[in-house]
Amino acid sequence: MIAITIENLVKKFGDAVALSGITLRIEPGELFFLLGPSGCGKTTLLRNIAGFYIPDEGRILFGDEDVTNLPPYKRNTGMMFQSYALWPHMTVAENVAFGLEERRVRSADIRQRVNAALESVQMGQYRERKIAQLSGGQQQRVALARALVIRPRCLLLDEPLSNLDARLRLEMRSEIRRVCKENGLTAIYVTHDQKEALSISDRMAVLEGGRIAQIGTPEQVYRRPITRVVADFIGETNFLKGKMQSFDGEKAVIETDGGPFEGFLGDPDWKPSTGDEVILSIRPECWSLRGEPAAGNAVKGRIGESIYLGEVAQYILRTAHHDLKIFELNPHLSARCQGQELFAVASAADVVLLKP
Amino acid sequence: MSRQFSILVFLLTALFFALFFLWPIAETLCGAFVGSDGKFTISYIAEVFRNPLYLEGLWNSLQMGVWSTLLAAFIAIPLAWLSDRFLFPGKSLLGSLVLVPMIMPPFVGAIGIKQILGQQGALNALLQDIGCLNPAHPIDWLGEGRIWGVIVLTALHLYPILYLNVLAALANVDPGMEEAAENLGCRGLRKFRRITLPLIMPGIFAGGTIVFIWSFTELGVPLMFDFTRVTSVQIFYGIKDIGGNPFPFALVVVLLCSTVLLYVGSKLLFGRDSYAMMAKATSQGGPRKAGLALGLLCSGLFALVTFLAILPHIGVILVAFSTDWYQTILPNGLTFSHFEAALGHNLTLPSIQNSLKYAGLATILDMVLGVAIAFVVVRTRLPGRQILDVMAMLPLAVPGLVLAFGYLAMTQEGKPFAFLNPTIDPLIILVIAYSIRRLPYVVRSAAAGFQQTSVTLEEAAQNLGCPPLRTLRRITIPLIAANLLAGGLLAFSFAMLEVSDSLILAQKQQDFPITKAIFELSQLLGEGRFVASALGVWAMAFLAVAIIGTSLILGKKLGAIFRA
C-alpha cells in the first residue's frame, strides 16, 4: 500500500493546456475516482501517473519515490484500459502471464500465479481461449487479472466498464471494489459515470478544464458542490438566481424572484457580501410539494409535464420565472394533475449557494 | 518509445533518402541544366522540344501512358464491379487468376506475343489454315501499329493494379449509400454513374496514377518490340555516352517533371484517401449469387480477360518448350532441352543467383526501413514525420528509369559516389535501387498494420514492465506480421523481376540479374529466344507462388498496397 502524491502537475499539448497545476494526495489503500466531463483532463492525469505522458511541470510520487520521469515499464502499476487492450495473438493465460514473464518470474510460479489470478476473477476454465472467443464481460475480467497478477504498486483504471451493458456494469463495479479492498490496493479510477463514482469510491476528484474543481467523499461532493459545474455534473439540479441579503458566517438568506431562501455556501472559502449575485442549487429530490404556502424556501407553480417511473415521478413545475425539475418518491400520480397549483418547499440544509 | 530513438530513426531514414533519392535526381537535374561552361542553361531542355526525334518520342510516350491507362481502366473497372457484386461459378479461382498477369514483366511476354502476332506467327498461320489469308501476303500485325502492340501488352500487364484498387474502393462503399439512391428512385447504370462511381473515384485515380507513370516510362516492352521512338528507349540508348552528352539528362528531366506534375496534380485533385463513410454498413452488403446466365457471363468475362492477358505468357511457355516454331499455329515439336540449356547457360544460373541476392538484400533493407518509417509516421508526434511519409511515397511518382539514370550519373568518375559505380560491382547500388522503388509498398503495408493495431495494446505491455523495443518484438511485430509478410513478399517479387534498374545498372555479364539475362539472351540469334523464354518460365513459376501467397494472406487488402 502506497500513497500517491501529485504536486502541481502541468501538461500541455502544443498550446493546449490539458492539466494546469493539479495537486492531489491519494491515501494508501484508497479507491480514488477521477471524474469529469470529456476533455476535462482526467484521462491525461491518469496517463501521467501511468507514465505514458511525461508532465511539463510538477512531480508524481509513489510513496516517497519520485516517479515523474520514470518510463511506464519501470513504474509497476497495473492498468486496465477502456478497450481492455488484450493481445489477440495470445491466449487468456498468455496474456495474464506476460507481466510475470517480463519480471523474470520462474515459470512454475508463473503458472501458479496465473491460475490463481484467473480463479479469483472466475475465469479459471477459460485459460486456453483466444481473446476473440470471449465476451465483453469475460475480457474485462481477464484484463483485471492481468493487471492484478503482477502485484502492482497501484491499480489504474481507465473507464473500465464503459464497454459493458448496464447490468454487467453494476456487477463488475462491486467486483472491482471487492478486489481492490481484498488486495489492499491503492487504485485510481477514471470515469465519466457519476453513478460509478458515487457508489464505490472512497473519495473522488471532479476535474474541470484541467483543474481540480473539488475533492471529497461522494456525499460531500453530492451535497456540498463547490462550483456550478460540479453541481451540474454530479447528479441533477435546479439553478435559481438570487441576491445575497444576509450572511451570518454559516447560514445565508437570499432574495430570489420567488421569495426569500435560506441556504449554505458550497465553497467554504467564499466570503460573499450583501447584494452579491448568487446561484442556488437545489436538487430535484430535495423539494417537497404541498398545497398551502410556506413562510420561506418555497416557490409557487403549476404542474407541467410529469413522467411516472414507478418508484419515483418526475415533474416539471412551471413557476413565474423558472421551470423546476422535481422528483417525488413513492408518488401518487392520480392526486397530481396538469395545471394544478402547488408550492415546492426545500429545507435550508438542501440549498447550496454558489458563485455565479 | 523514447523520443531519442524516434529522432535517430527519422534522421537515418531521411539521410538515406537524401543520398539515394534526392541526390541522383539532383545529379540528373545538374546534367540537364548546367552547360559545359558550368553555367545554368535551359538550352538542352529547349533543344529536346525542338528536336523532332525527341518530340516524337515524347508524343509516343504520352500515347503509351494515356492509352495503356485507359485500356487498363476499361478492363479493370467492370471486372472489379462484377466481382464486388456477384457470386459466380469459379469466382475465387478466376479472381486470383485475373491477377496473374502482374507476375511477369511484359517485356518477357513480348517474346511470346511476337511469336503469336508476328508475320510468321501463330495467328497468321491460323488464318492461312482456315483460308482467310493469302500466304504470299502475311499481315504484319505489329508492323506500323507497333505502338499498339506495346500499349495492349502494357495494359494487359498493369490492369491488375487498377482492379485491386477499385475492388478495395468498392468494398469500402457502404451499401446503405446505394440503397438510399434506390430508395429515391435511382437505379442501374444511372445509380452507378451518380453514386458508386464518384465514391470510388479516389480509388480509381490512386491506381490510375501508378498505371500511368508505369506505362508512360515503360522501357522493357518497347525495347523488345524494337520500338525505339519513345523517350524511355532513347534515354536507354543515350546512356552509352552519359559522360559527354547532356540530352539524355534533359530527356530524363522532362520525363521526371511530367510524372511529378501528374502525381502532384492528381493528389491535389483527388487527394482524399477515400470518402469517409458516415456509418458502419447497417445492412450486410456482400456479393449476391448471380443467376445462371449472368453467372456464366461473369465467369466468361474473367476467363477471357485472363486468357488475353496471359496469352503472351502462354506464348513464352510454348516458346520455351518448342524445338522450333515458325509459320505454324503451335510449335513444331516439344522439348525440355531449353530448360536444361537455361540452367546450363553461362548467363542463366549466375543471373538467378544474382537476382536472389539483390532482391533478398533489397527486401531486408526495405523491411527495416519500412517498419522504421511506418513506426515514426504512425506512432510518434515528431514534427517532420509527414515529410518522411511523403518522401517514402515519392518513389511511386519517380519512374525507375529516372532513378536508375540518376544512380549512373552520380557514380560517374570524379563524383563522390564513384566507388559505387556499377561497372565495378553493382551490388550496393542495385540493392539500393531495388529497395527504394519498393519501399512505398512496404511502408504502406507496415503503416496499415500499425494503424490497425491499437496503441493501447503496446501501452498495456509497457504498463506490465516491457520496455519499448521488446514491446515491438513481443506485441507489435507479431500483430502486424501478416502485413509485413505481404509487403515483403511483394517487394521481393517485384525486385526479382525489376526491369529498368537492372537493364541500366547491371553492366557486366557476371553481375546480370534475371531480367537483364533474359533481355540479353533474347537478343542472341539462334537458340537465344528459346533459352530466354525458358528462363522466363522459371521466373514466372517462382513469382506466381509469391504473389498467390501474398494475396492469400492479405485478401482484399492487397489492393491497398498499390495506391499512389
Side-chain angles (χ1 to χ4, degrees):
Chain A
M1 273 201 229
I2 51 156
I4 297 173
T5 313
I6 291 152
E7 293 173 358
N8 196 29
L9 210 67
V10 175
K11 178 68 190 172
K12 296 176 192 146
F13 295 110
D15 292 334
V17 181
L19 298 175
S20 50
I22 301 272
T23 298
L24 193 61
R25 184 182 151 85
I26 296 155
E27 300 301 330
E30 192 171 30
L31 177 50
F32 192 90
F33 269 64
L34 296 174
L35 199 64
S38 54
C40 68
K42 56 189 189 298
T43 296
T44 307
L45 179 54
L46 191 77
R47 291 174 64 81
N48 272 287
I49 297 169
F52 296 124
Y53 295 149
I54 300 298
D56 297 306
E57 288 169 38
R59 296 203 304 162
I60 300 170
L61 303 171
F62 285 0
D64 296 327
E65 187 193 348
D66 185 343
V67 298
T68 315
N69 291 303
L70 214 58
Y73 50 92
K74 290 186 179 157
R75 293 200 181 191
N76 198 21
T77 63
M79 182 148 173
M80 258 180 90
F81 294 83
Q82 184 173 9
S83 58
Y84 312 136
L86 296 172
W87 301 299
H89 61 304
M90 299 181 185
T91 63
V92 167
E94 284 167 348
N95 264 281
V96 178
F98 184 92
L100 298 174
E101 286 162 13
E102 288 304 319
R103 283 166 176 70
R104 303 274 180 276
V105 175
R106 285 190 313 139
S107 59
D109 292 348
I110 290 184
R111 204 169 315 124
Q112 186 242 321
R113 277 170 69 177
V114 166
N115 287 345
L118 285 174
E119 291 300 340
S120 79
V121 293
Q122 290 113 48
M123 287 294 292
Q125 71 267 43
Y126 297 105
R127 215 164 282 138
E128 299 310 322
R129 287 273 184 97
K130 284 275 182 191
I131 299 307
Q133 298 169 308
L134 300 181
S135 71
Q138 291 169 331
Q139 292 189 20
Q140 217 262 352
R141 288 165 189 274
V142 176
L144 185 60
R146 187 179 70 177
L148 290 173
V149 75
I150 59 169
R151 295 177 191 148
R153 287 197 281 188
C154 61
L155 188 63
L156 307 176
L157 305 126
D158 184 8
E159 307 206 17
L161 304 181
S162 61
N163 288 330
L164 297 181
D165 63 57
R167 201 196 196 130
L168 216 48
R169 220 164 15 213
L170 282 180
E171 185 185 319
M172 281 311 292
R173 75 187 186 201
S174 24
E175 177 86 2
I176 285 175
R177 183 170 171 92
R178 176 185 68 81
V179 166
C180 288
K181 293 300 163 192
E182 271 177 12
N183 293 283
L185 275 169
T186 310
I188 304 177
Y189 190 130
V190 163
T191 186
H192 60 257
D193 182 340
Q194 32 142 340
K195 289 250 162 64
E196 249 164 69
L198 291 171
S199 58
I200 62 167
S201 74
D202 293 323
R203 279 194 309 150
M204 61 170 91
V206 183
L207 274 72
E208 181 190 330
R211 295 172 189 283
I212 291 181
Q214 187 167 7
I215 302 178
T217 62
E219 191 183 353
Q220 284 165 349
V221 174
Y222 189 81
R223 294 202 46 89
R224 282 285 174 272
I226 289 181
T227 70
R228 206 182 150 143
V229 172
V230 175
D232 201 21
F233 185 74
I234 308 282
E236 289 186 83
T237 194
N238 296 293
F239 290 121
L240 281 71
K241 277 192 211 151
K243 273 206 168 59
M244 184 69 73
Q245 217 168 42
S246 68
F247 177 48
D248 64 4
E250 200 183 5
K251 207 185 250 186
V253 180
I254 311 294
E255 188 55 48
T256 74
D257 298 329
F261 268 83
E262 278 186 343
F264 293 87
L265 299 191
D267 183 354
D269 298 333
W270 185 30
K271 302 273 177 276
S273 43
T274 309
D276 280 359
E277 298 249 337
V278 190
I279 299 282
L280 288 73
S281 166
I282 306 169
R283 299 206 180 271
E285 69 275 14
C286 298
W287 298 99
S288 55
L289 293 170
R290 53 176 76 161
E292 62 281 5
N297 280 20
V299 279
K300 188 172 80 172
R302 290 179 187 282
I303 298 263
E305 292 93 69
S306 57
I307 301 168
Y308 183 69
L309 292 172
E311 83 275 22
V312 67
Q314 304 182 352
Y315 304 107
I316 298 294
L317 189 74
R318 303 200 188 288
T319 72
H321 306 282
H322 305 281
D323 282 355
L324 295 181
K325 187 179 265 187
I326 294 174
F327 296 166
E328 189 180 33
L329 210 59
N330 190 19
H332 296 279
L333 210 59
S334 47
R336 308 247 183 258
C337 56
Q338 198 159 359
Q340 186 184 1
E341 197 176 83
L342 283 171
F343 294 88
V345 186
S347 79
D350 293 331
V351 177
V352 181
L353 307 178
L354 302 168
K355 282 185 236 183
Chain B
M1 198 165 307
S2 74
R3 197 175 162 79
Q4 290 89 332
F5 180 80
S6 311
I7 292 173
L8 187 72
V9 168
F10 179 81
L11 289 179
L12 284 180
T13 45
L15 181 72
F16 182 80
F17 258 88
L19 287 185
F20 297 110
F21 186 72
L22 300 180
W23 191 312
I25 291 173
E27 197 69 62
T28 312
L29 289 174
C30 275
F33 286 112
V34 179
S36 49
D37 53 358
K39 290 205 184 91
F40 176 83
T41 173
I42 56 158
S43 63
Y44 301 138
I45 302 281
E47 180 58 27
V48 165
F49 287 101
R50 274 200 293 270
N51 186 323
L53 213 61
Y54 291 152
L55 271 185
E56 193 193 343
L58 279 173
W59 174 242
N60 284 337
S61 287
L62 189 66
Q63 291 203 43
M64 231 160 66
V66 170
W67 291 114
S68 301
T69 310
L70 288 179
L71 189 57
F74 180 75
I75 300 171
I77 295 174
L79 285 189
W81 187 77
L82 289 177
S83 169
D84 185 63
R85 291 306 139 98
F86 302 112
L87 292 170
F88 48 84
K91 180 174 175 180
S92 60
L93 178 68
L94 288 166
S96 308
L97 279 181
V98 89
L99 302 179
V100 164
M102 206 163 50
I103 67 178
M104 281 298 280
F107 93 110
V108 179
I111 303 178
I113 209 92
K114 278 204 283 194
Q115 196 64 57
I116 293 167
L117 294 183
Q119 256 176 316
Q120 320 298 341
L123 183 60
N124 279 353
L126 177 73
L127 290 175
Q128 283 165 25
D129 274 11
I130 57 175
C132 296
L133 190 71
N134 181 352
H137 302 283
I139 303 174
D140 185 359
W141 297 95
L142 300 170
E144 280 308 298
R146 205 174 291 167
I147 187 169
W148 287 103
V150 176
I151 287 169
V152 170
L153 207 55
T154 313
L156 283 175
H157 169 56
L158 296 178
Y159 77 86
I161 293 181
L162 256 169
Y163 170 81
L164 288 170
N165 262 298
V166 177
L167 200 60
L170 279 170
N172 202 29
V173 172
D174 181 351
M177 304 258 174
E178 298 196 342
E179 285 165 4
E182 278 180 39
N183 175 251
L184 295 172
C186 182
R187 304 187 308 128
L189 265 183
R190 193 175 155 74
K191 182 185 74 182
F192 181 78
R193 186 173 59 76
R194 294 197 56 192
I195 305 296
T196 319
L197 198 59
L199 286 175
I200 62 172
M201 221 40 179
I204 294 178
F205 270 86
T209 309
I210 293 193
V211 172
F212 179 83
I213 290 171
W214 198 318
S215 49
F216 180 55
T217 60
E218 173 65 38
L219 172 63
V221 182
L223 210 51
M224 292 298 266
F225 273 104
D226 297 321
F227 183 55
T228 53
R229 275 173 287 175
V230 286
T231 309
S232 50
V233 177
Q234 287 168 342
I235 293 172
F236 180 68
Y237 285 123
I239 281 169
K240 294 192 176 82
D241 48 5
I242 188 171
N245 186 352
F247 290 111
F249 286 91
L251 281 176
V252 170
V253 167
V254 172
L255 272 197
L256 176 66
C257 292
S258 332
T259 53
V260 168
L261 271 181
L262 179 97
Y263 182 80
V264 172
S266 81
K267 269 270 159 199
L268 290 181
L269 275 176
F270 305 96
R272 296 158 298 213
D273 243 343
S274 58
Y275 290 95
M277 294 299 154
M278 299 302 252
K280 277 241 167 84
T282 43
S283 63
Q284 200 56 43
R288 67 185 164 84
K289 200 164 160 49
L292 186 64
L294 184 63
L296 287 180
L297 184 74
C298 291
S299 310
L301 210 55
F302 268 78
L304 178 68
V305 168
T306 309
F307 175 72
L308 283 180
I310 63 171
L311 193 59
H313 305 143
I314 293 175
V316 172
I317 295 173
L318 285 176
V319 173
F321 279 108
S322 56
T323 49
D324 193 16
W325 190 3
Y326 186 74
Q327 288 192 344
T328 48
I329 305 172
L330 289 173
N332 302 353
L334 296 180
T335 174
F336 281 103
S337 64
H338 304 308
F339 289 93
E340 288 164 36
L343 294 180
H345 197 279
N346 58 359
L347 258 178
T348 50
L349 262 192
S351 78
I352 293 177
Q353 271 174 9
N354 284 336
S355 271
L356 283 174
K357 188 168 66 184
Y358 302 149
L361 289 173
T363 307
I364 294 172
L365 186 59
D366 268 340
M367 299 291 262
V368 173
L369 283 173
V371 171
I373 293 176
F375 173 81
V376 170
V377 169
V378 180
R379 283 288 193 263
T380 71
R381 292 163 177 272
L382 284 191
R385 68 187 192 285
Q386 284 96 347
I387 302 172
L388 199 62
D389 189 26
V390 172
M391 217 157 58
M393 289 302 131
L394 271 185
L396 289 177
V398 177
L401 184 65
V402 171
L403 266 188
F405 188 86
Y407 290 132
L408 216 51
M410 74 188 258
T411 54
Q412 290 304 297
E413 260 187 63
K415 305 280 184 190
F417 283 99
F419 68 96
L420 290 179
N421 191 298
T423 51
I424 309 166
D425 183 358
L427 176 69
I428 296 177
I429 206 78
L430 263 181
V431 165
I432 288 171
Y434 283 0
S435 59
I436 283 258
R437 297 274 314 287
R438 306 305 168 293
L439 191 57
Y441 306 126
V442 182
V443 169
R444 183 142 286 161
S445 52
F450 278 118
Q451 275 157 358
Q452 289 153 10
T453 309
S454 165
V455 197
T456 53
L457 292 174
E458 291 163 21
E459 287 175 351
Q462 295 201 22
N463 175 255
L464 293 172
C466 192
L469 271 179
R470 202 154 68 235
T471 303
L472 197 65
R473 184 171 62 73
R474 289 201 62 184
I475 304 296
T476 321
I477 300 283
L479 284 172
I480 64 173
N483 293 60
L484 292 183
L485 191 61
L489 260 174
L490 214 72
F492 184 71
S493 359
F494 278 128
M496 282 293 284
L497 287 185
E498 156 64 50
V499 177
S500 40
D501 290 328
S502 314
L503 291 192
I504 292 174
L505 292 174
Q507 305 199 339
K508 274 188 306 184
Q509 193 174 327
Q510 77 257 30
D511 299 325
F512 284 177
I514 291 180
T515 37
K516 180 122 187 187
I518 291 177
F519 176 67
E520 292 289 331
L521 281 171
S522 73
Q523 305 291 42
L524 295 178
L525 293 174
E527 292 286 278
R529 68 191 161 108
F530 297 109
V531 182
S533 299
L535 187 54
V537 172
W538 282 118
M540 201 162 14
F542 177 80
L543 274 191
V545 172
I547 290 271
I548 289 171
T550 314
S551 71
L552 283 184
I553 295 167
L554 274 193
K556 268 187 188 171
K557 283 180 279 176
L558 189 60
I561 294 175
F562 292 94
R563 287 173 150 248

